[in-house]
Amino acid sequence: NILSVINKKLISMAVIVALTISLTSCNEVENDDPELLIGNEGTEFALSLANRYPFRSPYSQQETQAAEFIRSELIKLGYQPVVSSFNKQIDEETVATSSNIVVKISGTGFVISEGNDKDESIEEVRIFRQVIIGAHYDTKFGSEHSEDYPDYDGINANASGVGALLSVAAGLVGREIGYDVIIVFFGASNDDFA
């Protein structure tokens, strides 16, 4: 079962890397930069997130701290993340809050030709397309489970996905791409909000 989880994560990482490479190649300008190299930053961030905040269940203090940790990392990369908070009524007296963190990386769009060849009324039109990728940063278990799961760190649920998205974000810094890329870090996914 653990091998199956690892294989799924490796396949997911390969898809994200392929997406990143294809997105950086979708532009109108010649790019003499070497092929995109992701590096170890995403892995290091995932491990740091998992070790600092292993029990980041929906609406918990660790989930809130993890969200700030992610937001701070995005700011270090030069992005201006938007934090979209939302509430859930737990009972008559308790309202719980979680957040999604969103970064939009604007693309240049694509130029297509429209018109009629016969009367030479061809017009170039710029169109825009977007790609949305996301990962949840919360975990199933909260701090109340720490004694039952002392070795739990949430790396596979889903610090590794967060690390992969941060790798994509880091790889796209300063690159001209055709697609708008929207990266979303979802909170409270284990409460069906992602």
Side-chain angles (χ1 to χ4, degrees):
N1 193 10
I2 190 79
L3 190 56
S4 173
V5 170
I6 292 170
N7 283 337
K8 286 180 184 177
K9 290 294 180 181
L10 289 174
I11 290 169
S12 297
M13 288 294 292
V15 169
I16 289 172
V17 170
L19 175 64
T20 302
I21 292 169
S22 68
L23 288 174
T24 60
S25 65
C26 293
N27 59 44
E28 300 166 11
V29 179
E30 291 269 334
N31 191 346
D32 294 332
D33 290 345
E35 187 174 326
L36 178 63
L37 299 175
I38 298 297
N40 293 322
E41 292 83 10
T43 301
E44 291 169 9
F45 185 87
L47 290 170
S48 183
L49 175 64
N51 290 326
R52 287 182 187 196
Y53 311 111
F55 295 102
R56 44 189 194 280
S57 61
Y59 322 113
S60 67
Q61 181 179 0
Q62 283 198 20
E63 186 201 38
T64 301
Q65 292 168 322
E68 180 56 29
F69 188 45
I70 294 165
R71 189 184 76 79
S72 296
E73 189 68 18
L74 291 165
I75 290 170
K76 286 181 197 172
L77 291 172
Y79 293 111
Q80 297 176 354
V82 174
V83 177
S84 176
S85 296
F86 54 93
N87 297 323
K88 178 182 178 181
Q89 190 79 38
I90 303 298
D91 56 40
E92 286 185 23
E93 298 173 6
T94 309
V95 176
T97 302
S98 185
S99 300
N100 296 331
I101 305 149
V102 182
V103 168
K104 181 179 180 186
I105 305 166
S106 296
T108 60
F110 303 91
V111 175
I112 61 169
S113 298
E114 290 184 345
N116 187 341
D117 255 349
K118 295 179 184 174
D119 64 6
E120 297 181 11
S121 61
I122 296 175
E123 178 182 347
E124 288 189 346
V125 178
R126 184 168 297 276
I127 61 169
F128 294 90
R129 299 287 186 261
Q130 60 182 227
V131 174
I132 302 171
I133 55 176
H136 69 93
Y137 62 89
D138 63 314
T139 60
K140 180 178 181 178
F141 299 118
S143 58
E144 66 275 12
H145 297 101
S146 62
E147 288 184 22
D148 296 331
Y149 302 100
D151 296 329
Y152 184 76
D153 61 8
I155 193 72
N156 291 322
N158 185 26
S160 59
V162 171
L165 287 187
L166 282 169
S167 291
V168 170
L172 293 177
V173 169
R175 292 189 170 269
E176 189 172 290
I177 55 176
Y179 288 92
D180 291 344
V181 177
I182 300 172
I183 300 175
V184 185
F185 300 87
F186 295 102
S189 74
N190 285 285
D191 197 25
D192 297 328
F193 276 95

